[in-house]
């Protein structure tokens, strides 16, 4: 599947360079479909193995103070 994804990615890039908008839209939809299938497969394997995804987080440095933000965190002191 990775090889097909690379080929479609190359085709999409070429469509952009050559101005083939309609074909590019078709290729982009196909790539998104392939990615969704891959993500769904990975999620199923994670569930079957009893694993849990780590919560997404970001760090930002503000004048030497590093703040960590966690996905869907409603309790952060600087939420506002």
């Amino acid at each position: 599947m990775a090889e097909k994804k690379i080929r479609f990615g190359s085709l999409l890039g070429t469509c952009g360079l050559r101005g083939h908008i309609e074909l590019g839209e078709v290729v982009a939809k196909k790539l998104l479909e392939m990615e969704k299938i891959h993500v769904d497969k990975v999620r199923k394997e994670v569930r079957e193995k009893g694993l849990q995804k780590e919560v997404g987080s970001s760090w930002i440095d503000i004048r030497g103070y590093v703040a960590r933000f966690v996905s869907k965190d409603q309790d952060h002191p600087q939420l506002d």
Side-chain angles (χ1 to χ4, degrees), residues 4-48:
K4 286 183 182 179
K5 192 173 172 182
I6 291 169
R7 289 180 184 164
F8 275 107
S10 298
L11 179 57
L12 180 60
T14 302
C15 287
L17 289 172
R18 302 290 183 196
H20 299 289
I21 306 303
E22 291 178 13
L23 179 57
E25 289 174 352
V26 171
V27 173
K29 286 178 185 176
K30 181 65 177 174
L31 275 170
L32 290 172
E33 179 184 309
M34 290 169 67
E35 186 63 28
K36 183 183 179 332
I37 290 169
H38 176 71
V39 169
D40 289 346
K41 181 180 174 187
V42 170
R43 286 183 176 169
K44 180 181 176 189
E45 289 176 5
V46 166
R47 274 194 311 272
E48 288 174 350

Side-chain angles (χ1 to χ4, degrees), residues 68-80:
R68 179 175 182 238
F69 299 92
V70 180
S71 178
K72 299 182 183 178
D73 182 2
Q74 297 298 313
D75 298 322
H76 195 280
Q78 294 176 321
L79 180 64
D80 294 335

